[in-house]
Amino acid sequence: MTRHDPIQSCDSCPIRANAVCADCAPDEIAVLDRAKTYRTVPAGGRLAEAGEPLTYFSSIVSGCATMSRTLEDGRRQTVGLLLPSDYIGRPGRSTSAYDVEAVSEVTLCRFECATFERLLRETPHLATRLLTMTLDELDAARDWAVVLGRMTARERVAAFLVSLARRQARLSHQAEPTRAIALALPLSREAIADHLGLTIETTSRQFTALRKAGAIETPSTRLVQIPDFERLALEAGEDDDGGMIA
Amino acid sequence: MTRHDPIQSCDSCPIRANAVCADCAPDEIAVLDRAKTYRTVPAGGRLAEAGEPLTYFSSIVSGCATMSRTLEDGRRQTVGLLLPSDYIGRPGRSTSAYDVEAVSEVTLCRFECATFERLLRETPHLATRLLTMTLDELDAARDWAVVLGRMTARERVAAFLVSLARRQARLSHQAEPTRAIALALPLSREAIADHLGLTIETTSRQFTALRKAGAIETPSTRLVQIPDFERLALEAGEDDDGGMIA
DNA sequence: CGCTTATTTGAAACAAATCAATGATTGTGG
DNA sequence: CCACAATCATTGATTTGTTTCAAATAAGCG
């Protein structure tokens, strides 16, 4: 992980092109620039708690966070993996529906709820971009439901790696991952298991199985080498041209 | 199912208070009223196909539809149950990401894509309502991920019935279902299984188990009597006061 | 370098899927 | 209107993938 200098202005912001502000015109950005504040939370820090008040609308500038729910008996399901440019919070609600916790050091760009709701009314391109991002998130959540509802443990692990590789590629402004990719896993095996609806043991076994099958290499636990992205996508139940449909 | 007269104007529309138009002022509604067209599709009809063009943005006025994806090998996962006031289509995309099919006769209120996108720009309350509904759908999709990822077969069936009861209550303008409720299931056992990420056999067994446990009664396959809603919610893994969190 | 935590691997138990058959409902033509 | 076919739902027996329980190994950290 490279160390970044503290960001001062939206001009030098690494998520300027993808975040909720991406569609804003220079004059709109000027307004946001004045209203925003930054906050950095260490790895393991809580950014929101299910049922508790959430008084900011935040975008992740750097780092990684998980959004999850824990049942009374301890079962936990991660419902979203938050990477740079993803947002936390919901306009119109003052409490969080999920736990959000930083899995690495996270820097947020945030607005007070009331401020953000005003900005949303007064900044047309902010509202349209938020809608687009929310629709994208909805599609992603539905795609993930297919993984959780119908895929085997092995397919789930492959699907997770494929999805992570795609998002990592998009963050570096590529449309698709290259044939061979190195993936830095932001999550522990346990956090991956919670995301996949599996136990940590099953998750670990599937990493081993994919490695033995030659679909991935694991130089260290937090590093995955994908020698052939298409091959791994096949393991994830996708057909040759990227769609998962018949 | 009661037979409705064809709707002519938005004034007499049954979903006026909940659909994408719900927040619109009278002058905004007047514009929508002129642009909309109705269409009725028989049970079993296809409203959209994954990967295929979708040239309308539609709201369900009456009836029920499922949104699903089918994998090459035939595995199917339903990612959304569409009831009156829910919408089909995505502004900014011209193809559907999922199959949408009518499970009962469905009447749609629809706008051509280009028209709807123009309306979205020119009708502030339409855009805000669409955002709110999409955020709600996103929360629902994430809640469902918890069901698919972490719940047992029995809990899934209970959760499905609870969720259906809640939505049925909301459609008749109640905040919460009453203690005892009669539920008319819009879905076959197979469609329920596809929604729950289970097989039809397991689904059927859990209906039987819940019946034997006294949590439900099943006068006919498409009818479920819930004698005590809270009791069933407990079976669905919810704690006493409605939250699923610890 | 030793201690703690994370990950991998193994064996047994279990929940759900699969295979197989029966029973119930719905629709249709004689 | 009833017999028949066809679909849908339930139940039973067995298999299988995943979990659980248990232990060993590897990795991070003061």
Side-chain angles (χ1 to χ4, degrees):
Chain A
M1 299 286 141
T2 47
R3 208 82 183 71
H4 293 287
D5 291 328
I7 312 130
Q8 325 285 358
S9 129
C10 293
D11 296 333
S12 60
C13 177
I15 59 168
R16 174 70 179 83
N18 297 301
V20 76
C21 56
D23 291 348
C24 288
D27 61 318
E28 292 174 322
I29 284 289
V31 178
L32 298 188
D33 209 341
R34 260 173 277 125
K36 71 165 200 306
T37 54
Y38 290 114
R39 183 162 157 64
T40 297
V41 176
R46 281 181 139 18
L47 307 178
E49 216 149 332
E52 297 300 311
L54 182 60
T55 54
Y56 288 92
F57 179 95
S58 316
S59 295
I60 294 193
V61 175
S62 67
C64 174
T66 57
M67 190 181 308
S68 67
R69 176 166 294 160
T70 302
L71 275 51
E72 303 170 74
D73 57 8
R75 286 178 290 180
R76 170 158 46 182
Q77 178 64 44
T78 294
V79 297
L81 184 63
L82 303 171
L83 295 177
S85 83
D86 288 328
Y87 68 80
I88 301 163
R90 166 170 174 163
R93 277 247 202 310
S94 55
T95 61
S96 176
Y98 302 98
D99 294 317
V100 180
E101 86 186 72
V103 296
S104 66
E105 184 181 275
V106 167
T107 297
L108 301 172
C109 164
R110 38 179 227 174
F111 302 88
E112 273 190 62
C113 277
T115 307
F116 189 74
E117 278 163 39
R118 184 174 51 75
L119 288 168
L120 219 42
R121 280 190 303 271
E122 296 170 359
T123 322
H125 291 118
L126 186 64
T128 56
R129 176 64 185 156
L130 180 61
L131 177 60
T132 301
M133 288 178 73
T134 306
L135 288 164
D136 284 343
E137 282 298 303
L138 181 54
D139 276 352
R142 285 171 170 166
D143 285 350
W144 204 247
V146 178
V147 172
L148 294 177
R150 289 300 182 198
M151 292 203 174
T152 64
R154 178 161 171 164
E155 288 171 325
R156 291 184 203 202
V157 171
F160 167 70
L161 295 172
V162 163
S163 144
L164 201 63
R166 289 223 172 91
R167 292 180 73 177
Q168 194 179 272
R170 228 169 298 140
L171 280 176
S172 48
H173 311 287
Q174 301 169 278
E176 272 289 299
T178 49
R179 192 170 201 277
I181 327 132
L183 260 190
L185 300 184
L187 302 180
S188 68
R189 291 290 186 270
E190 180 165 36
I192 294 172
D194 285 341
H195 193 220
L196 299 176
L198 299 171
T199 59
I200 183 174
E201 295 96 329
T202 301
T203 304
S204 176
R205 280 185 240 274
Q206 301 312 323
F207 268 96
T208 305
L210 287 172
R211 181 166 44 71
K212 285 185 175 163
I216 59 170
E217 287 154 44
T218 54
S220 84
T221 51
R222 291 289 187 128
L223 220 75
V224 172
Q225 293 274 358
I226 305 171
D228 181 353
F229 183 75
E230 288 298 322
R231 160 91 169 73
L232 186 64
L234 232 65
E235 291 275 3
E238 296 187 13
D239 71 0
D240 319 298
D241 55 297
M244 295 200 295
I245 32 169
Chain B
M1 298 288 139
T2 48
R3 206 83 183 70
H4 293 286
D5 291 329
I7 312 130
Q8 324 287 358
S9 130
C10 293
D11 295 333
S12 60
C13 178
I15 59 167
R16 175 69 179 83
N18 296 301
V20 75
C21 55
D23 290 347
C24 288
D27 61 317
E28 292 174 323
I29 283 289
V31 177
L32 298 187
D33 209 342
R34 262 173 276 125
K36 71 165 198 309
T37 54
Y38 290 114
R39 183 163 158 63
T40 296
V41 177
R46 280 183 144 8
L47 307 178
E49 217 149 332
E52 298 299 312
L54 182 60
T55 55
Y56 288 92
F57 179 94
S58 315
S59 295
I60 295 193
V61 176
S62 67
C64 175
T66 58
M67 188 181 310
S68 67
R69 175 165 295 161
T70 302
L71 274 51
E72 303 170 74
D73 57 8
R75 285 177 290 179
R76 170 158 47 183
Q77 178 64 45
T78 294
V79 297
L81 184 62
L82 303 172
L83 295 177
S85 83
D86 288 329
Y87 67 80
I88 300 163
R90 162 163 181 169
R93 278 250 200 307
S94 55
T95 60
S96 175
Y98 302 98
D99 294 316
V100 181
E101 87 186 72
V103 295
S104 66
E105 184 180 277
V106 166
T107 297
L108 301 173
C109 163
R110 34 177 231 177
F111 302 88
E112 273 191 62
C113 278
T115 307
F116 189 75
E117 278 163 39
R118 183 174 51 74
L119 287 169
L120 220 41
R121 278 191 303 269
E122 296 170 359
T123 322
H125 291 119
L126 186 64
T128 55
R129 176 67 185 152
L130 180 62
L131 177 59
T132 301
M133 289 179 71
T134 306
L135 287 164
D136 284 342
E137 282 298 305
L138 181 54
D139 276 351
R142 286 171 170 166
D143 284 351
W144 203 247
V146 179
V147 172
L148 294 177
R150 289 299 182 199
M151 292 205 174
T152 64
R154 179 162 170 163
E155 289 170 325
R156 291 185 204 202
V157 171
F160 167 70
L161 295 173
V162 163
S163 143
L164 201 62
R166 289 224 172 91
R167 292 180 72 176
Q168 195 178 272
R170 228 170 296 142
L171 280 176
S172 47
H173 311 287
Q174 302 168 276
E176 271 290 300
T178 49
R179 191 169 200 275
I181 327 134
L183 259 190
L185 300 183
L187 302 180
S188 67
R189 291 290 186 272
E190 180 166 35
I192 294 172
D194 285 340
H195 193 221
L196 299 176
L198 299 171
T199 59
I200 184 173
E201 295 95 331
T202 300
T203 303
S204 177
R205 280 185 239 274
Q206 301 311 324
F207 269 95
T208 305
L210 287 173
R211 180 167 44 72
K212 286 185 175 162
I216 59 170
E217 286 154 45
T218 53
S220 85
T221 52
R222 292 288 188 126
L223 219 74
V224 172
Q225 294 273 359
I226 305 171
D228 181 355
F229 183 75
E230 288 297 323
R231 159 91 170 74
L232 186 64
L234 231 65
E235 290 275 3
E238 296 188 13
D239 71 359
D240 320 296
D241 56 294
M244 293 200 296
I245 31 169

